[in-house]
Amino acid sequence: QVQLVESGGGLVQAGGSLRLSCAASGRTFSSYAMGWFRQAPGKERDFVAHISRSGGFIEYADSVKGRFTIDRDNAKNTVYLQMNSLKPEDTAVYHCAATGRVDSSSVYYAKFYALWGQGTQVTVSS
């Protein structure tokens, strides 16, 4: 069973950047597609980005397109989320998630992912 641990969150001013990391335990990381979700206080967990097992299929939420980049290093068992031009509305707890399923139409939904990390707080001040 893969375990996921996020890091890299923090407090940043609007317009700044952060790079989140999600380290996975186990030897089967490359068999999982990965996603990033975020959850602000009092709100639902929202899709941010998805990357397929090989990295050949990537999707982003409209709200982050052009600002965020997801990538992965299977040799390091790590998926990353580079976040640029941050806005106060990006403030949330960011979670990485893993799925062994393949369905490009479902990557936007939290229920598609079986494994979750505890999350890392990102706070963007105005």
Side-chain angles (χ1 to χ4, degrees):
Q1 179 101 347
V2 171
Q3 292 185 326
L4 307 175
V5 179
E6 302 94 336
S7 62
L11 174 63
V12 63
Q13 289 188 334
S17 298
L18 284 173
R19 183 171 173 84
L20 305 183
S21 298
C22 172
S25 63
R27 299 183 177 182
T28 59
F29 176 73
S30 60
S31 66
Y32 290 90
M34 303 297 295
W36 284 97
F37 284 73
R38 64 187 182 186
Q39 188 165 20
K43 296 188 177 181
E44 294 185 352
R45 189 168 294 190
D46 290 332
F47 170 76
V48 175
H50 171 89
I51 187 167
S52 63
R53 291 174 290 183
S54 67
F57 175 73
I58 291 175
E59 285 288 306
Y60 296 100
D62 288 343
S63 59
V64 307
K65 281 181 181 177
R67 300 189 298 123
F68 290 12
T69 302
I70 187 172
D71 66 330
R72 65 188 296 163
D73 186 337
N74 286 342
K76 295 183 178 179
N77 283 9
T78 303
V79 62
Y80 305 96
L81 186 68
Q82 177 68 42
M83 305 186 297
N84 298 329
S85 301
L86 282 162
K87 304 175 181 180
E89 51 263 45
D90 294 319
T91 295
V93 176
Y94 283 70
H95 298 268
C96 67
T99 180
R101 297 168 60 187
V102 178
D103 182 354
S104 60
S105 66
S106 298
V107 303
Y108 316 97
Y109 306 106
K111 63 182 180 180
F112 183 65
Y113 301 83
L115 304 171
W116 291 84
Q118 292 298 308
T120 185
Q121 176 70 47
V122 172
T123 303
V124 184
S125 63
S126 57

